[in-house]
Amino acid sequence: MESKNRDKEHQLVEVQRGAKLYQDGVQHPPEKKRKFSPMLWDVEDREIRISSKNRVVSATTILSPPMAPSTMSSNDESGGCVLNSSISLDLVHGSDFPMADQSISLSASGCKAQALHQEQSEAGDQDDSMVEDGEFVHERTISMSRWAFDSDSPSLICASDDEEIILENRALVTKRSSPESGEFLPGGSGHRTRSSGSDEIGLAGGASVGESEDGDQAVVMDGDRTYLSDADNNHDDTDDENNREHQEFEVSSLPARQSINMLDSCRSVFEYERLNKINEGTYGVVYRARDTKTGEIVALKKVKMNKQDSDGGFPLTSLREINILLSLNHTSVVGVKEVVMDDDNSIFMVMEYMEHDLKGLMEARKRPFSTSEVKCLMLQLLEGVKYLHDNWILHRDLKTSNLLFNNKGELKICDFGLSRQYGSPLKPYTPLVVTLWYRAPELLLGAKQYSTAIDMWSIGCIMAEMLANEPLFRGNSEVNQLDKIFRTLGTPSEKIWHGFSELPGLKANFVKQPYNLLRKKFPAASFTGTTVLSELGFDLLNRLLTYDPEMRITADEALEHDWFREVPLPTSKDFMPTFPPLHTVVR
Ligand SMILES: Nc1ncnc2c1ncn2[C@@H]1O[C@H](COP(=O)(O)OP(=O)(O)OP(=O)(O)O)[C@@H](O)[C@H]1O
């Protein structure tokens, strides 16, 4: 312990605007509102591949720094995992409250899973100790989720209260400490009380061989084997047998009773009558459906599997989305009721149904929302984002099509496929996947760190779009997006954006435009029908669209902005206009 502390002192190399940055990549958040990613090493997410026999709910891997203290066990010191990975494997079992989260550290010769104690991180204890049976019975809160695991965040990884998995020495052993609690035996069913409606849930990553977001390696739990494998789209898995061999972990000693057979506890999608397709996004098709038992209308999001793989790949984005959405509970975040499967092991998220998304609504309406309506929508959006940020989650893909709206005047954030806990690495967005229009300039310029401020920039773009009924910056490439931003807000400089001149993406010859012309788009008064915006409204918009992420307004601060207190006051949800649903055509 002492030597670890000494190491840490040695590794402290930089103090960046109040945040301590360690060579091992751990950045300790500064004492300020803006929350930065505490990890800066080249982390890569890994696909988890799980066979239908091993019905594990979800898994994500985070390439850890050498000796990442929160996950490495003493046995791992011998060389670490082949990938130097720590794997957090979450088993959502149907209990009344907790998720059973297990952290698995892989080493070259095997892997070890340890349920980690919440207080372990609170106490700053770097020593991983095995969890005693039945030691943890925590109420599930977002802070207990594995999504929160930095020093400011209250916990490392939620401990399982009833099950501990150890993958070690080429064998998987599952210890159960209290099988009664949240029983997750094959064929069993679990319950979850988070949402109304159907409360039965069993979440699993079914037959799952998939592509990682990076298109590289994957963890495969295939029947009696667990191995790391290449999941690159362009690779045939069979080509990688050689690679796989030395990374393979036999898990044949897994007792049948103890297998992580969770999909069996999923309800069937046939409990729902599919009504019509609502939309199709990058990661899944969304249907409107009716619960045949309760008659409740829901949205079913079918998780797209990796088509190139006959086993069906379970995209990491979907695992992440399911995991995050199941952890969240806020009126401005879309609720997930349960996860269901069909006969082909396709997985569907059952969500509360929302009649509209803001993009579709604005296109259909043809005229902007009133200022009062925008205020109502902005308040809900900011509340939701504040909740996410308070709980160490960056959405990273806020845009009008990811903001749902129902006929109760409620706005809810959806699509958490690109969300990250703060501890995640910066990974450039894939232009083909994520629309550029809402992307913060620091991301466009390749900043190596980012923070909650990226979501706030997106909110600025959304606010402008709601006021004007058209997107603010419609770029068609990263450079073109930056060009559009600079032409409107002025080309930034080191003077207004500390660190700007060091950004890696600054090579391009950008337009030199010295003035902020945003007011022209949103004047205080207009005789031509242009959207008007008061001084206070413009101030908020400007603060959201501030170049320097450090100076950009936070969700907390935005909620306190005086614009929301000046007339016209925000419309109450009850008085928000309702619109006929666009997608109610029955089959
Ligand atoms: N709960 C819901 N109720 C009604 N419609 C929904 C719901 N969830 C999603 N949708 C619709 O489906 C669309 C796509 O959903 P979502 O964004 O979750 O999928 P995606 O594949 O992640 O999309 P993207 O390509 O934006 O990443 C949304 O824009 C919305 O129109």
Side-chain angles (χ1 to χ4, degrees), residues 278-284 286 299 301 321 334 351-355 357 397 399 401-402 404 414-415 433 583:
I278 297 174
N279 215 332
E280 180 161 5
T282 314
Y283 301 109
V286 185
K301 182 170 174 179
E321 180 171 23
V334 71
M351 293 180 279
E352 61 183 311
Y353 171 70
M354 302 285 288
E355 283 86 353
D357 65 67
D397 196 16
K399 55 184 177 182
S401 61
N402 287 340
L404 304 175
C414 76
D415 193 358
V433 175
H583 30 66

Side-chain angles (χ1 to χ4, degrees), residues 105-351:
S105 305
L106 291 180
S107 72
S109 57
C111 38
K112 181 173 230 171
Q114 287 180 284
L116 294 176
H117 196 301
Q118 181 184 8
E119 281 74 36
Q120 195 173 328
S121 68
E122 285 173 348
D125 187 350
Q126 305 294 336
D127 286 324
D128 289 347
S129 53
M130 295 302 288
V131 178
E132 294 297 323
D133 285 357
E135 193 176 333
F136 308 120
V137 183
H138 293 300
E139 199 167 332
R140 184 171 70 84
T141 65
I142 185 70
S143 62
M144 291 176 62
S145 130
R146 66 181 172 73
W147 297 104
F149 64 95
D150 120 310
S151 58
D152 260 13
S153 142
S155 72
L156 285 174
I157 294 168
C158 177
S160 163
D161 60 324
D162 69 341
E163 192 163 17
E164 177 184 336
I165 299 176
I166 303 168
L167 287 101
E168 196 177 24
N169 297 329
R170 304 173 67 80
L172 176 81
V173 183
T174 311
K175 277 193 197 170
R176 299 178 71 85
S177 56
S178 61
E180 306 75 29
S181 151
E183 184 79 56
F184 217 125
L185 297 174
S189 73
H191 297 275
R192 184 180 177 84
T193 54
R194 183 170 165 261
S195 306
S196 59
S198 171
D199 62 353
E200 185 180 3
I201 187 162
L203 169 61
S208 186
V209 177
E211 156 199 18
S212 75
E213 209 174 304
D214 305 314
D216 42 29
Q217 275 178 305
V219 174
V220 181
M221 296 182 71
D222 186 11
D224 58 356
R225 297 186 309 173
T226 301
Y227 50 84
L228 302 170
S229 174
D230 198 310
D232 191 309
N233 251 345
N234 306 317
H235 271 235
D236 184 338
D237 277 347
T238 52
D239 289 340
D240 296 308
E241 277 305 321
N242 290 341
N243 268 346
R244 196 183 278 171
E245 248 173 359
H246 72 280
Q247 299 171 341
E248 203 165 292
F249 309 105
E250 295 294 336
V251 291
S252 51
S253 62
L254 178 67
R257 178 186 165 277
Q258 294 170 341
S259 70
I260 315 159
N261 208 350
M262 290 196 255
L263 280 183
D264 285 348
S265 58
C266 269
R267 292 214 304 170
S268 161
V269 73
F270 302 113
E271 305 274 346
Y272 294 90
E273 181 192 359
R274 229 176 287 186
L275 300 174
N276 60 279
K277 188 160 141 181
I278 297 174
N279 215 332
E280 180 161 5
T282 314
Y283 301 109
V285 189
V286 185
Y287 299 95
R288 197 170 65 98
R290 183 186 292 118
D291 187 327
T292 54
K293 286 205 182 98
T294 65
E296 185 187 12
I297 299 294
V298 295
L300 282 180
K301 182 170 174 179
K302 182 178 180 181
V303 174
K304 267 187 192 161
M305 298 293 182
N306 180 7
K307 290 192 189 87
Q308 294 181 343
D309 208 314
S310 55
D311 287 335
F314 199 115
L316 182 62
T317 46
S318 305
L319 288 172
R320 185 180 291 133
E321 180 171 23
I322 291 171
N323 211 349
I324 287 187
L325 276 172
L326 284 168
S327 313
L328 301 176
N329 190 6
H330 190 273
T331 46
S332 295
V333 175
V334 71
V336 172
K337 294 170 182 297
E338 63 173 326
V339 176
V340 293
M341 291 182 73
D342 69 9
D343 291 344
D344 302 325
N345 279 353
S346 294
I347 296 189
F348 298 79
M349 262 191 285
V350 183
M351 293 180 279

Side-chain angles (χ1 to χ4, degrees), residues 48-66:
I48 295 297
R49 304 167 69 185
I50 308 160
S51 82
S52 55
K53 294 172 205 158
N54 288 306
R55 295 165 181 226
V56 179
V57 171
S58 68
T60 184
T61 72
I62 300 166
L63 202 66
S64 59

Side-chain angles (χ1 to χ4, degrees), residues 13 31 58 66 111 193 210 228 252 283 378 482 484 542 554 561:
V13 290
E31 291 154 17
S58 68
C111 38
T193 54
L228 302 170
S252 51
Y283 301 109
M378 280 292 288
L482 281 165
K484 290 212 153 44
N542 246 329
T554 65
H561 198 280

